[in-house]
Amino acid sequence: MPEEAGQLAPVLSFLKAHEMATGNTVQAQYALVGVDEHDRIELPEGVHAVLKRAVEAMLTGRAVTLAPQSMTLTTQQAADLLGVSRPTVVRLISDSKIAADRVGNRHRLQLDDVLAYKESRRARQYDALAETSVSVDPEEDPDTIREQLREARKAGAARRRAGTRA
């Protein structure tokens, strides 16, 4: 991937410069251009946005997967997407945390539902991090800081047990 970064940076730079240059006064047009003079196909704005996001992700070294939003997933595919085990996905379905349809003895999940759950889980994780954060003074005693962190973790755990966080 590092060798591709050198090739992707100019693409991203061009896309951003093009956006800045056109502003709101000109209707932007996007196209893929080939080697020959007549090798050109116009792209809808949505396709351009997808390509731009894919290039940005590749530039930062992330994997890119394109899939239609109405795609159905198996429990294993959902587990892979969420980074959890298949039994965990089955538990999330039975706990009504993720919607799923039953086809015979199998579950089918909508990609939209899995991505929505993933985003809400990420938001909950950030909230939990914020709850357990403590202002640290470099001059403060390390034992005092440890105690503050312990208390913050206990308070967060108590809130989760009380059911105030889903």
Side-chain angles (χ1 to χ4, degrees), residues 76-87:
Q76 185 60 57
Q77 290 169 324
D80 293 342
L81 182 64
L82 295 172
V84 298
S85 68
R86 191 192 60 74

Side-chain angles (χ1 to χ4, degrees), residues 39-165:
D39 252 354
R40 177 184 169 97
I41 185 167
E42 298 293 322
L43 295 178
E45 188 174 341
V47 174
H48 173 263
V50 168
L51 289 173
K52 184 178 170 193
R53 288 185 66 193
V55 169
E56 287 173 342
M58 291 170 69
L59 192 57
T60 60
R62 294 183 304 197
V64 175
T65 302
L66 296 177
Q69 288 293 309
S70 62
M71 183 175 159
T72 59
L73 304 174
T74 65
T75 51
Q76 185 60 57
Q77 290 169 324
D80 293 342
L81 182 64
L82 295 172
V84 298
S85 68
R86 191 192 60 74
T88 298
V89 171
V90 172
R91 182 180 49 79
L92 291 170
I93 293 168
S94 54
D95 291 347
S96 300
K97 305 253 180 178
I98 301 179
D101 295 320
R102 198 130 171 114
V103 179
N105 63 349
R106 313 267 178 175
H107 289 102
R108 293 287 181 250
L109 300 92
Q110 291 296 316
L111 176 61
D112 291 342
D113 295 335
V114 175
L115 292 175
Y117 174 79
K118 184 177 183 179
E119 190 58 38
S120 70
R121 182 180 68 174
R122 180 175 297 158
R124 287 192 312 272
Q125 289 169 336
Y126 285 137
D127 290 346
L129 282 172
E131 288 175 2
T132 59
S133 66
V134 176
S135 295
V136 176
D137 180 7
E139 303 298 319
E140 209 168 345
D141 180 39
D143 291 332
T144 304
I145 295 170
R146 270 193 284 280
E147 186 56 36
Q148 289 173 337
L149 288 170
R150 256 188 232 108
E151 292 302 318
R153 283 193 302 268
K154 283 181 187 177
R159 279 191 294 278
R160 283 191 301 279
R161 279 193 299 275
T164 57
R165 293 177 19 96

